[in-house]
Amino acid sequence: MQAYILKRLLTSIPVLFGVSIIVFVVMNVLPGDPAQILLGSQEVTPQQLQRLREQLHLDDPLHVRYLTMMGGALRGDLGRSIRSDRPVIEIFMDQFPSTLELTIAALIASIAIGVVAGIIAAVRQYSALDNLSMLVALLGVSMPSFWLGLLLIFVFALGLGWLPATGTGGPERLLLPALTLGVGGAGVIARLVRSSMLEVLRMEYVTTARAKGLSEHVVVLHHALRNALIPVVTVVGLEVGRLLSGAFVVEVVFSRPGIGRIAIQAINFKDYTIVQGIVLYAAALYVVVNLAVDIVYAYLDPRIRYS
Amino acid sequence: MNQQSSTAVLTPLVRRGSPAPGTELLRRLRRSRASVAGAVVILVFTLVAVFAAALAPYDPIQTDTSVAFGPPSVLHWFGTDNLGRDILSRIVHGARISLWIGIISVAIGAAVGTVLGLLAGYYARVVDSVIMRLTDAMLAFPGILLALIFVAALGSNLVNLMIAVGISSVPRYARLVRGSVLSAKENVYVEAARAIGCDNPRIMFRHILPNVIAPVIVVSTLGVAAAILAAASLSFLGLGIQPPTPEWGAMLSGGRDYLRTAWWITVFPGLAITLVVLSTNMLGDGLRDALDPRLKT
């Protein structure tokens, strides 16, 4: 197990290195002078433009700029916001708890809805309930989260007045954003649990459990579900990434604070150090989550670590 | 050996009387009602997109504040927006833009990804390592994040949006093609092509590519849905197509300030996106099952 963890840790290093190169290349090498973009249509003298270029280190050679960025990133320093002059790490740490809260709540919603729908669909295969569950699952995957969010606001906040539409604080403000973000993942998990359950329900040990006279719900929930859930662990890793990027949209819809909303504002304000820092941190976080999921998966299914 | 004889050697044998592969695929596809329904909806949206100018009852950009915020009625089936523009006409014209974005983005992603996958699978060793590490790094960007930084760096307009969405799907195609090439290059026809003196690009593009392209087509079908969704998300965030162009995501974004008083500005464009993406997913699922029934759940 330790050898497997070490191997996975080592393979994550080049990925993180690649991520940093992509972010650097996209933000610094593609056509367009960041200083000029930052100034927009403002009239400035060539001296002022040059001063800004120096301030942003844009005249340094590319490899120096990359090494400077990486050196800072490894020390937790990704520069300062061009507009507010606050350190990017400080802005990130301020906003991240809200995004994390939303992501975890959405993940719980995805798993809860997805697993229940998947079990029902598998146990009642080819019934109207199965077809309905799978249609809703497909709808969940196909519906844009920003639209679903607005529909939920329209019905539950503006129409019925049951829940607040925007802001943070308290579970009542988390419910609608978490549902909005979690429904897509619930669709993916429901489809996976259904196919995984169908496979497990045909196994001999399930037949044995039935033959022993156990009730159907004990067979399904205690015997079949445990094994059927193993593949779901991998999807949860992928889901965390989808939820993290989905949070960018959902935070805007529900006017919630978070790294997504800050990143979008930063793009609109052309504050590239913030965009660069947040994207780098979000991608690194995704790599780490996937690493953790792989380790959990190897723990649950010993065949993985020996292959 | 001359060109004619080399072609004769390399042409795969087709059994007399056996149906063409496409016919079998269509027969299997027709058995799935969901796929047929998906295909019909996509066909309808494609026709709407092609004949948008003839079908739209009003000019999608022309404003008329005297009818602003008009609810759905006989004159304006889907109502009007804050500037009095007919929502139905904007959705009809938006179909052209959204489908166009979906198709071009997928074409960019599939073309670049296929070439990278071919190179990685065929040349292996260093080329493979470099390309695969690059795709690993690209896959480390969750969801629309990669497209987001491309749009942030390039600026928001239609072309940049298509490039951004297309490039972010490159790793999916590169990995898919690489896997197929690794097994395809061991086939006898590749050895035969090499023996008659074909150069590497010819072997890759003329002999291997046609044999590994089928899964790319399936993934591309599903990719159109993902591309439409990604582009609509970016436009919703104000990073894609800018007003007054009638793009569905941007229309939805424009309507959210008036949700309480004019729900139709938000509801109908969202319905259009959901319908197209749902239909594409249904057709994509059917295509996947038809090409590889073992995957059917």
Side-chain angles (χ1 to χ4, degrees), chain B residues 195-254:
Chain B
I196 59 167
C198 289
D199 55 11
N200 287 333
R202 191 182 166 85
I203 296 174
M204 276 193 286
F205 290 98
R206 292 290 297 274
H207 300 297
I208 296 179
L209 183 60
N211 287 290
V212 298
I213 205 75
V216 175
I217 294 167
V218 179
V219 174
S220 301
T221 319
L222 286 163
V224 171
I228 291 174
L229 257 186
S233 302
L234 289 170
S235 293
F236 176 80
L237 293 171
L239 306 174
I241 292 167
Q242 302 300 312
T245 311
E247 197 273 337
W248 294 340
M251 284 170 69
L252 225 154
S253 175

XYZ file of all heavy atoms in Angstrom, chain B residues 195-254:
428
model
N 5.966 -2.176 -45.627
C 6.756 -3.011 -46.524
C 6.768 -2.469 -47.950
O 7.757 -2.611 -48.674
C 6.206 -4.434 -46.511
N 5.690 -1.841 -48.355
C 5.664 -1.318 -49.732
C 6.222 0.107 -49.791
O 6.141 0.779 -50.813
C 4.241 -1.347 -50.343
C 3.288 -0.509 -49.483
C 3.755 -2.771 -50.530
C 1.980 -0.213 -50.148
N 6.761 0.568 -48.685
C 7.493 1.836 -48.702
C 6.693 3.076 -48.363
O 7.122 4.196 -48.668
N 5.515 2.913 -47.760
C 4.754 4.109 -47.361
C 5.512 4.834 -46.254
O 6.079 4.185 -45.359
C 3.388 3.711 -46.818
S 2.281 3.112 -48.075
N 5.505 6.157 -46.308
C 6.174 6.894 -45.228
C 5.245 7.000 -44.009
O 4.054 6.676 -44.095
C 6.648 8.278 -45.704
C 5.524 9.091 -46.291
O 4.362 8.680 -46.148
O 5.804 10.147 -46.900
N 5.821 7.455 -42.885
C 5.052 7.469 -41.629
C 3.758 8.300 -41.704
O 2.713 7.825 -41.274
C 5.933 7.962 -40.478
C 6.950 6.913 -40.083
O 6.710 5.722 -40.272
N 8.101 7.330 -39.583
N 3.817 9.558 -42.218
C 2.559 10.320 -42.278
C 1.478 9.593 -43.078
O 0.307 9.592 -42.715
C 2.973 11.628 -42.975
C 4.426 11.756 -42.707
C 4.963 10.366 -42.659
N 1.875 8.939 -44.186
C 0.895 8.233 -45.007
C 0.297 7.044 -44.227
O -0.919 6.826 -44.260
C 1.553 7.747 -46.304
C 0.537 7.239 -47.302
C 1.210 6.731 -48.557
N 0.253 5.965 -49.325
C -0.608 6.501 -50.186
N -0.599 7.796 -50.404
N -1.466 5.747 -50.833
N 1.162 6.325 -43.534
C 0.655 5.189 -42.748
C -0.314 5.687 -41.685
O -1.404 5.141 -41.503
C 1.817 4.406 -42.081
C 2.703 3.777 -43.155
C 1.284 3.325 -41.139
C 3.948 3.109 -42.615
N 0.083 6.769 -41.006
C -0.761 7.283 -39.912
C -2.110 7.784 -40.426
O -3.149 7.436 -39.887
C -0.036 8.441 -39.209
C 0.949 7.999 -38.159
S 1.467 9.384 -37.145
C 2.531 10.261 -38.247
N -2.049 8.647 -41.456
C -3.281 9.328 -41.858
C -4.132 8.550 -42.859
O -5.345 8.683 -42.886
C -2.951 10.728 -42.402
C -2.486 11.649 -41.308
C -1.130 11.863 -41.095
C -3.386 12.266 -40.462
C -0.682 12.682 -40.068
C -2.959 13.092 -39.435
C -1.609 13.301 -39.227
N -3.486 7.745 -43.724
C -4.263 7.029 -44.741
C -4.669 5.634 -44.282
O -5.683 5.111 -44.713
C -3.460 6.924 -46.049
C -3.247 8.258 -46.762
C -4.562 8.792 -47.348
N -5.118 7.919 -48.376
C -4.776 7.966 -49.653
N -3.885 8.851 -50.071
N -5.334 7.153 -50.523
N -3.848 5.000 -43.459
C -4.129 3.606 -43.115
C -4.630 3.427 -41.686
O -5.596 2.707 -41.466
C -2.881 2.746 -43.364
C -2.446 2.784 -44.796
N -3.229 2.309 -45.807
C -1.331 3.291 -45.386
C -2.610 2.498 -46.969
N -1.460 3.102 -46.737
N -3.960 4.075 -40.729
C -4.390 3.881 -39.328
C -5.613 4.730 -39.002
O -6.581 4.247 -38.416
C -3.226 4.179 -38.348
C -2.086 3.177 -38.565
C -3.706 4.110 -36.904
C -0.881 3.387 -37.676
N -5.579 6.002 -39.386
C -6.662 6.928 -39.020
C -8.070 6.402 -39.349
O -8.950 6.411 -38.478
C -6.414 8.303 -39.651
C -7.422 9.392 -39.286
C -7.434 9.644 -37.786
C -7.116 10.698 -40.019
N -8.313 5.921 -40.601
C -9.677 5.449 -40.895
C -10.120 4.305 -39.977
O -11.306 4.105 -39.762
C -9.588 4.947 -42.347
C -8.387 5.628 -42.911
C -7.427 5.790 -41.777
N -9.164 3.574 -39.427
C -9.516 2.441 -38.564
C -9.695 2.810 -37.102
O -10.118 1.973 -36.306
C -8.446 1.349 -38.683
C -8.547 0.642 -40.014
O -9.486 -0.087 -40.264
N -7.596 0.914 -40.890
N -9.317 4.021 -36.732
C -9.467 4.398 -35.320
C -10.462 5.549 -35.135
O -10.665 6.038 -34.034
C -8.105 4.810 -34.677
C -7.139 3.649 -34.690
C -7.493 6.025 -35.360
N -11.106 5.955 -36.230
C -11.914 7.169 -36.175
C -13.317 6.930 -35.575
O -13.930 7.868 -35.053
C -12.006 7.825 -37.583
C -12.269 9.320 -37.480
C -13.031 7.158 -38.474
C -11.107 10.139 -37.061
N -13.830 5.676 -35.612
C -15.214 5.417 -35.162
C -15.486 5.901 -33.727
O -16.448 6.643 -33.506
C -15.556 3.942 -35.310
N -14.638 5.527 -32.742
C -14.935 6.026 -31.390
C -14.858 7.544 -31.290
O -15.577 8.151 -30.481
C -13.852 5.393 -30.509
C -13.006 4.558 -31.372
C -13.485 4.617 -32.769
N -14.028 8.155 -32.135
C -13.916 9.623 -32.114
C -15.261 10.238 -32.503
O -15.684 11.251 -31.935
C -12.795 10.117 -33.070
C -12.761 11.630 -33.151
C -11.458 9.580 -32.611
N -15.949 9.575 -33.446
C -17.246 10.108 -33.892
C -18.261 10.059 -32.743
O -18.993 11.018 -32.516
C -17.753 9.317 -35.122
C -16.805 9.577 -36.294
C -19.180 9.709 -35.496
C -16.976 8.664 -37.465
N -18.257 8.954 -31.998
C -19.201 8.828 -30.876
C -18.903 9.886 -29.810
O -19.797 10.608 -29.358
C -19.099 7.425 -30.223
C -20.059 7.320 -29.053
C -19.397 6.361 -31.242
N -17.622 9.984 -29.452
C -17.252 10.958 -28.417
C -17.559 12.379 -28.899
O -17.976 13.232 -28.130
C -15.763 10.788 -28.033
C -15.316 11.873 -27.081
C -15.555 9.433 -27.378
N -17.383 12.611 -30.208
C -17.677 13.946 -30.749
C -19.152 14.280 -30.615
O -19.507 15.417 -30.313
C -17.307 14.020 -32.239
O -15.960 13.743 -32.400
N -20.016 13.281 -30.847
C -21.460 13.533 -30.736
C -21.793 14.009 -29.329
O -22.502 14.998 -29.142
C -22.262 12.237 -31.023
O -21.661 11.578 -32.119
C -23.693 12.527 -31.318
N -21.254 13.275 -28.327
C -21.482 13.689 -26.942
C -20.767 15.009 -26.656
O -21.225 15.812 -25.855
C -20.986 12.614 -25.981
C -21.862 11.367 -25.888
C -21.106 10.221 -25.255
C -23.125 11.663 -25.093
N -19.640 15.216 -27.347
C -18.847 16.432 -27.149
C -19.589 17.689 -27.573
O -19.390 18.754 -26.989
N -20.463 17.558 -28.600
C -21.226 18.731 -29.054
C -22.081 19.248 -27.898
O -22.141 20.454 -27.639
C -22.109 18.372 -30.286
C -23.061 19.508 -30.610
C -21.233 18.072 -31.486
N -22.719 18.325 -27.178
C -23.560 18.722 -26.037
C -22.710 19.430 -24.984
O -23.072 20.499 -24.484
C -24.232 17.493 -25.432
N -21.567 18.821 -24.661
C -20.700 19.416 -23.634
C -20.200 20.792 -24.082
O -20.124 21.724 -23.277
C -19.520 18.486 -23.361
N -19.887 20.919 -25.385
C -19.375 22.199 -25.902
C -20.450 23.283 -25.847
O -20.176 24.422 -25.465
C -18.871 22.014 -27.333
N -21.694 22.902 -26.204
C -22.794 23.886 -26.150
C -22.988 24.355 -24.706
O -23.146 25.548 -24.435
C -24.099 23.276 -26.727
C -23.957 23.078 -28.235
C -25.302 24.162 -26.417
C -25.126 22.360 -28.891
N -22.948 23.405 -23.777
C -23.121 23.749 -22.357
C -21.986 24.641 -21.861
O -22.227 25.638 -21.167
C -23.139 22.472 -21.519
C -24.482 21.964 -21.028
C -24.296 20.781 -20.109
C -25.242 23.054 -20.292
N -20.741 24.268 -22.211
C -19.583 25.052 -21.755
C -19.653 26.476 -22.308
O -19.434 27.451 -21.581
C -18.288 24.376 -22.186
N -19.989 26.581 -23.616
C -20.050 27.907 -24.238
C -21.168 28.740 -23.620
O -20.999 29.936 -23.354
C -20.265 27.755 -25.744
N -22.320 28.088 -23.354
C -23.436 28.818 -22.746
C -23.051 29.284 -21.340
O -23.393 30.396 -20.931
C -24.676 27.929 -22.689
N -22.312 28.418 -20.603
C -21.879 28.800 -19.248
C -20.967 30.019 -19.316
O -21.111 30.962 -18.529
C -21.115 27.657 -18.576
O -21.907 26.526 -18.508
N -20.011 29.995 -20.254
C -19.076 31.126 -20.361
C -19.821 32.401 -20.773
O -19.533 33.482 -20.264
C -17.957 30.801 -21.354
C -16.952 29.742 -20.867
C -16.022 29.306 -21.984
C -16.126 30.271 -19.690
N -20.783 32.252 -21.702
C -21.553 33.435 -22.118
C -22.395 33.946 -20.958
O -22.551 35.150 -20.773
C -22.461 33.093 -23.301
O -21.688 32.809 -24.416
N -22.947 33.009 -20.161
C -23.738 33.403 -18.993
C -22.885 34.228 -18.029
O -23.353 35.191 -17.425
C -24.280 32.155 -18.281
C -25.027 32.455 -17.018
C -26.341 32.875 -17.052
C -24.402 32.325 -15.785
C -27.026 33.159 -15.883
C -25.080 32.621 -14.612
C -26.399 33.029 -14.661
N -21.599 33.836 -17.907
C -20.697 34.551 -16.993
C -20.188 35.864 -17.607
O -19.415 36.586 -16.992
C -19.497 33.654 -16.645
C -19.829 32.407 -15.819
C -18.626 31.490 -15.728
C -20.306 32.788 -14.427
N -20.618 36.131 -18.835
C -20.203 37.372 -19.500
C -18.854 37.230 -20.181
O -18.235 38.226 -20.556
N -18.380 35.972 -20.330
C -17.053 35.774 -20.906
C -17.126 35.174 -22.302
O -16.114 34.804 -22.883
C -16.225 34.835 -20.014
C -16.120 35.257 -18.547
C -15.419 34.193 -17.733
C -15.370 36.579 -18.432
N -18.304 35.064 -22.832
C -18.428 34.465 -24.159
C -18.897 35.494 -25.154
O -18.293 36.559 -25.304
N -20.016 35.167 -25.794
C -20.539 36.061 -26.823
C -21.207 37.270 -26.167
O -21.916 37.140 -25.172
C -21.523 35.279 -27.702
C -20.705 34.242 -28.473
C -22.271 36.174 -28.664
C -21.510 33.208 -29.128
N -20.932 38.416 -26.737
C -21.431 39.642 -26.125
C -22.758 40.083 -26.756
O -23.011 39.800 -27.927
C -20.378 40.743 -26.287
C -19.018 40.389 -25.667
C -19.103 40.125 -24.168
O -19.689 40.888 -23.420
N -18.523 39.003 -23.726
N -23.600 40.770 -25.984
C -24.858 41.297 -26.527
C -24.564 42.277 -27.679
O -23.480 42.872 -27.677
C -25.478 42.040 -25.346
C -24.692 41.655 -24.146
C -23.396 41.130 -24.592
N -25.441 42.454 -28.625
C -26.807 41.935 -28.693
C -26.924 40.588 -29.425
O -28.048 40.174 -29.703
C -27.522 43.023 -29.492
C -26.486 43.515 -30.459
C -25.171 43.402 -29.745
N -25.784 39.914 -29.720
C -25.870 38.640 -30.432
C -26.772 37.673 -29.665
O -26.610 37.507 -28.454
C -24.458 38.014 -30.573
O -23.596 39.018 -31.060
C -24.464 36.834 -31.520
N -27.731 37.045 -30.357
C -28.679 36.184 -29.632
C -28.094 34.806 -29.311
O -28.423 33.828 -29.965
C -29.865 36.072 -30.593
C -29.280 36.278 -31.943
C -28.086 37.158 -31.789
N -27.240 34.733 -28.292
C -26.725 33.421 -27.858
C -27.521 33.013 -26.630
O -27.804 33.852 -25.759
C -25.230 33.541 -27.550
C -24.491 32.211 -27.482
C -24.539 31.559 -26.112
O -24.753 32.282 -25.113
O -24.404 30.332 -26.031
N -27.877 31.737 -26.526
C -28.793 31.297 -25.474
C -28.290 31.596 -24.062
O -29.055 32.058 -23.214
C -29.094 29.804 -25.633
C -29.855 29.475 -26.882
C -30.602 30.340 -27.638
C -29.953 28.207 -27.529
N -31.152 29.683 -28.709
C -30.772 28.379 -28.666
C -29.437 26.941 -27.267
C -31.080 27.328 -29.539
C -29.756 25.896 -28.121
C -30.558 26.083 -29.248
N -27.013 31.301 -23.788
C -26.455 31.536 -22.449
C -26.490 33.015 -22.094
O -26.857 33.408 -20.973
N -26.127 33.856 -23.063
C -26.111 35.302 -22.831
C -27.534 35.836 -22.644
O -27.782 36.728 -21.824
C -25.425 36.009 -23.995
N -28.500 35.261 -23.412
C -29.906 35.689 -23.274
C -30.412 35.407 -21.860
O -31.069 36.230 -21.231
C -30.794 34.920 -24.267
C -30.678 35.396 -25.696
S -31.510 34.257 -26.819
C -33.209 34.532 -26.388
N -30.058 34.199 -21.389
C -30.462 33.781 -20.042
C -29.876 34.711 -18.986
O -30.548 35.113 -18.033
C -29.903 32.378 -19.848
C -30.779 31.324 -19.256
C -30.325 29.970 -19.728
C -30.714 31.385 -17.775
N -28.615 35.044 -19.186
C -27.935 35.935 -18.251
C -28.616 37.300 -18.221
O -28.810 37.888 -17.158
C -26.469 36.072 -18.677
O -25.834 36.999 -17.871
N -28.989 37.772 -19.402
C -29.651 39.085 -19.504
C -31.001 39.097 -18.813
O -31.483 40.148 -18.377
